[in-house]
Amino acid sequence: MVKQNDSWGSRTGLILAMAGNAVGLGNFLRFPVQAVQNGGGTFIIPYLVCFVVMGIPLLFTEWSIGRFGGKRGNHSTPYILDSMSKSVWWKYIGVFGIFTNIAVVAYYTYIESWTFLYVIHTVIGTFTQMSQAEVSSFFVQYVNLNGSNFGIPYLPVLVYILVLGINIYILSTGLGGIEKVAKIGMPLLILFGAVLAYKGWTMGAENASAAFPEANAWDGINFLWTPQFNSLLDPKVWLAAAGQIFFTLSVGMGSIQCYASYLKENEDIALNSLTSGFTNEFVEIVLGSAIVIPIAAGFLGLDWVIENAGFGMAFQTMPYLFMQWGEVFGAIAGICWFGLLFFAGITSSLAMGTPWMGFMQDEFGWGKAKGAVSFGILAFVMGLPTILFYQYGYFDEYDYWAGTVSLVVFALLEMILFTWVFGMDKGWSELNRGADIRIPEVFKWIMKYITPLLLLLVLTSALITPQGNDWVGAVSGLFDGVGWKLDSGSLISKLTHDDLKLLQLNDPQNGEIYEKKIFFSTLARVQLLALFLFIVSLVWYSGIKRKSISHE
């Protein structure tokens, strides 16, 4: 093993880097969409409860695990987890902490490349004279590789390589480079977000068009922030809220543990974890909720937003809406929006590279440049198919299995390790060592019992989601002898391609397209499995190396 000399330059840089890891595209794209799709204010109470009883405990756990492993010279999850138990299997559980980052960054960087290119298109005025339909079509043609953007065939691949190259270069400079990007990117992100949020908050009914005369931005804000207490009895909303916590805090990935492993032995992790967590929540709740939904509602009306809310709004609708403010301010708003998304993306993707680099440096003596380039090559090999076969669901398969299921599985297992195997008493002492604040004792009980139980419920719920998310009806049907009918979005249905087969059955005219989607989704899973087994083999070989060194 090689002794690590890399470390964080300042507490501010560390917190900004950690916040940048958490603050990502999900804060501005996924959160508002999830809120709208789950009833607006109906979503808020379960979301905030999940943040307290699941998000904060997971942050405490991952910072504690990371610092503990770092004291023993480990900077990636396989051996960070291995240092906490005598069982050899935990280092293989830790493979999730490298695998997830590589698999996610493969398609996450592709989204970054969209934001990068959209900044350029905004600056040169591509969207100025486009209708809403033309802006939407522009995005669809781009991701489906139809036509040539700027007259350059396969431009999406070239822009992807460029953005991936930027990530590789910054990673090759080590923690110092990441810290510098965080110190520049996070303030710019908040500045851009504040400009757009202010515009969203100050819009009234004056932007309504003839087609949507009753449009009002405050309808969107009120919809999001009027709590509905009946949501406390809706399992579907709780599941969505819990899922958002994973996306928004970047827990269950291994990047937080890696960052924390470079901390000094008595560095305050209790206050640091809370600071980075609440910074993320501020960005998501205050800024993330004040941009897409209010602005879209201000121009198109709340009913349109509820009916059309989706990930694509950021690229298929917002450029058109910005231009309704006039060519000059529309361009400024577009630069702020896509610049914000770019900085949100790159501060997260940089964090995803550090677990692989830490592992290769610890176990094989690789330097920063070699580690960064190898990470880039792996990301490119995994990511290229998500570009070439985007329309056949390759991207979606990565997002579901690596960016969703893997996070919950790993988070559940690491909570069990920290609270039950390592021991809650030892874990609590580790968390509080060097702390400038006193953590309420109730969190000791929450971390040991409530958080693991919630994670188990989230995983089980995703596994057997009933048809139409109707949990009450499913339980009644079970007692009535009808059986438990699975929803097409359940994990089991996804695994067996029942979701695609159902779409094929309902749309026989496009049967050939669904056949291709089934083929490419299977291929994506094979590629993900191959990546996981490749990392397992590296961990196995590194274990042999460690034993041989210890016997010398």
Side-chain angles (χ1 to χ4, degrees):
M1 287 193 305
V2 175
K3 191 72 175 176
Q4 294 276 353
N5 296 314
D6 221 355
S7 62
W8 296 105
S10 66
R11 184 170 187 170
T12 301
L14 165 65
I15 290 174
L16 287 175
M18 280 287 196
N21 171 38
V23 174
L25 298 169
N27 295 72
F28 301 98
L29 303 184
R30 195 177 190 275
F31 172 74
V33 171
Q34 283 292 304
V36 169
Q37 292 177 345
N38 289 280
T42 303
F43 182 76
I44 295 301
I45 296 177
Y47 172 80
L48 294 176
V49 171
C50 284
F51 173 67
V52 172
V53 300
M54 191 164 68
I56 291 176
L58 280 168
L59 287 173
F60 284 158
T61 297
E62 296 197 349
W63 278 72
S64 301
I65 287 175
R67 188 181 65 175
F68 180 85
K71 289 188 302 182
R72 287 152 180 77
N74 301 308
H75 302 85
S76 61
T77 50
Y79 286 102
I80 288 176
L81 267 59
D82 184 63
S83 67
M84 303 184 72
S85 170
K86 295 179 181 180
S87 173
V88 298
W89 292 106
W90 282 106
K91 67 173 177 280
Y92 294 109
I93 299 297
V95 168
F96 279 103
I98 299 176
F99 159 78
T100 301
N101 286 283
I102 296 174
V104 170
V105 85
Y107 69 87
Y108 197 87
T109 311
Y110 185 33
I111 306 176
E112 278 177 45
S113 72
W114 299 349
T115 67
F116 183 85
L117 189 66
Y118 266 61
V119 169
I120 296 174
H121 278 296
T122 301
V123 170
I124 65 176
T126 300
F127 306 119
T128 303
Q129 301 300 325
M130 283 188 177
S131 66
Q132 184 180 349
E134 288 172 333
V135 172
S136 179
S137 177
F138 178 89
F139 175 77
V140 173
Q141 289 182 13
Y142 183 79
V143 296
N144 289 340
L145 305 178
N146 294 331
S148 57
N149 210 290
F150 289 122
I152 304 174
Y154 289 98
L155 182 65
V157 177
L158 298 178
V159 179
Y160 174 76
I161 293 172
L162 173 62
V163 172
L164 188 58
I166 294 173
N167 278 270
I168 293 170
Y169 171 73
I170 297 171
L171 284 169
S172 70
T173 63
L175 295 182
I178 295 173
E179 195 170 339
K180 288 177 183 177
V181 171
K183 286 181 176 179
I184 296 171
M186 284 301 294
L188 280 176
L189 183 155
I190 293 174
L191 174 63
F192 290 163
V195 170
L196 293 168
Y198 174 77
K199 190 64 178 177
W201 288 328
T202 56
M203 286 177 65
E206 70 277 3
N207 296 283
S209 64
F212 301 97
E214 297 182 1
N216 191 317
W218 276 94
D219 288 342
I221 295 173
N222 290 333
F223 176 70
L224 289 176
W225 289 105
T226 303
Q228 301 293 327
F229 294 97
N230 59 354
S231 64
L232 299 177
L233 300 176
D234 190 340
K236 172 179 172 288
V237 177
W238 280 96
L239 184 60
Q244 179 61 24
I245 290 299
F246 283 96
F247 281 91
T248 194
L249 295 178
S250 295
V251 291
M253 292 190 68
S255 50
I256 291 177
Q257 297 92 320
C258 180
Y259 272 7
S261 70
Y262 293 96
L263 292 171
K264 297 179 179 65
E265 184 173 345
N266 289 314
E267 186 91 26
D268 181 0
I269 56 176
L271 183 59
N272 285 354
S273 59
L274 284 175
T275 302
S276 63
F278 277 101
T279 300
N280 173 79
E281 289 305 297
F282 167 80
V283 172
E284 177 157 293
I285 293 176
V286 177
L287 300 183
S289 65
I291 300 175
V292 175
I293 304 308
I295 293 175
F299 283 111
L300 304 173
L302 180 60
D303 290 341
W304 185 95
V305 171
I306 294 173
E307 185 177 343
N308 295 278
F311 178 81
M313 281 180 64
F315 301 93
Q316 293 175 270
T317 304
M318 298 308 288
Y320 168 76
L321 298 183
F322 292 146
M323 289 304 159
Q324 307 313 301
W325 284 325
E327 190 170 334
V328 175
F329 190 77
I332 293 173
I335 292 169
C336 285
W337 174 239
F338 295 113
L340 173 156
L341 293 179
F342 178 75
F343 284 120
I346 198 167
T347 51
S348 296
S349 60
L350 289 173
M352 297 178 204
T354 51
W356 166 264
M357 292 177 63
F359 175 74
M360 297 308 290
Q361 193 166 7
D362 283 353
E363 309 307 323
F364 300 99
W366 286 22
K368 297 173 187 175
K370 192 174 181 180
V373 170
S374 61
F375 173 74
I377 292 172
L378 272 175
F380 178 74
V381 170
M382 294 296 297
L384 184 60
T386 68
I387 304 172
L388 299 179
F389 310 121
Y390 179 91
Q391 60 184 313
Y392 298 119
Y394 225 98
F395 180 105
D396 296 330
E397 286 295 313
Y398 275 31
D399 186 47
Y400 183 75
W401 296 106
T404 305
V405 176
S406 180
L407 303 186
V408 183
V409 171
F410 186 47
L412 173 61
L413 293 173
E414 69 177 349
M415 283 300 300
I416 292 173
L417 170 65
F418 185 72
T419 60
W420 291 93
V421 179
F422 184 66
M424 192 62 240
D425 289 336
K426 288 171 64 179
W428 191 251
S429 297
E430 178 66 28
L431 172 60
N432 284 278
R433 193 177 71 252
D436 293 332
I437 62 171
R438 182 178 178 84
I439 303 172
E441 286 282 335
V442 67
F443 272 100
K444 188 175 182 180
W445 181 77
I446 290 173
M447 291 171 70
K448 186 171 184 178
Y449 299 104
I450 301 300
T451 307
L453 178 61
L454 278 174
L455 290 169
L456 183 61
L457 287 174
V458 168
L459 187 59
T460 304
S461 299
L463 190 72
I464 58 169
T465 307
Q467 194 173 59
N469 274 301
D470 182 9
W471 291 87
V472 175
V475 172
S476 298
L478 201 60
F479 283 107
D480 293 340
V482 178
W484 189 283
K485 295 182 179 179
L486 293 172
D487 189 79
S488 60
S490 68
L491 200 156
I492 293 176
S493 295
K494 289 273 190 181
L495 189 64
T496 57
H497 292 305
D498 284 349
D499 55 334
L500 291 174
K501 291 174 183 176
L502 180 62
L503 291 173
Q504 185 180 31
L505 184 65
N506 294 330
D507 187 15
Q509 291 183 335
N510 293 307
E512 186 177 344
I513 294 177
Y514 292 111
E515 286 293 337
K516 287 183 178 180
K517 286 188 174 184
I518 291 172
F519 171 78
F520 282 112
S521 67
T522 303
L523 193 61
R525 295 175 190 180
V526 170
Q527 195 168 353
L528 289 171
L529 180 61
L531 173 65
F532 190 88
L533 293 177
F534 169 67
I535 299 171
V536 166
S537 68
L538 289 178
V539 172
W540 172 79
Y541 180 64
S542 67
I544 294 177
K545 282 190 67 198
R546 285 192 172 212
K547 285 182 180 179
S548 65
I549 292 173
S550 64
H551 291 154
E552 290 178 358

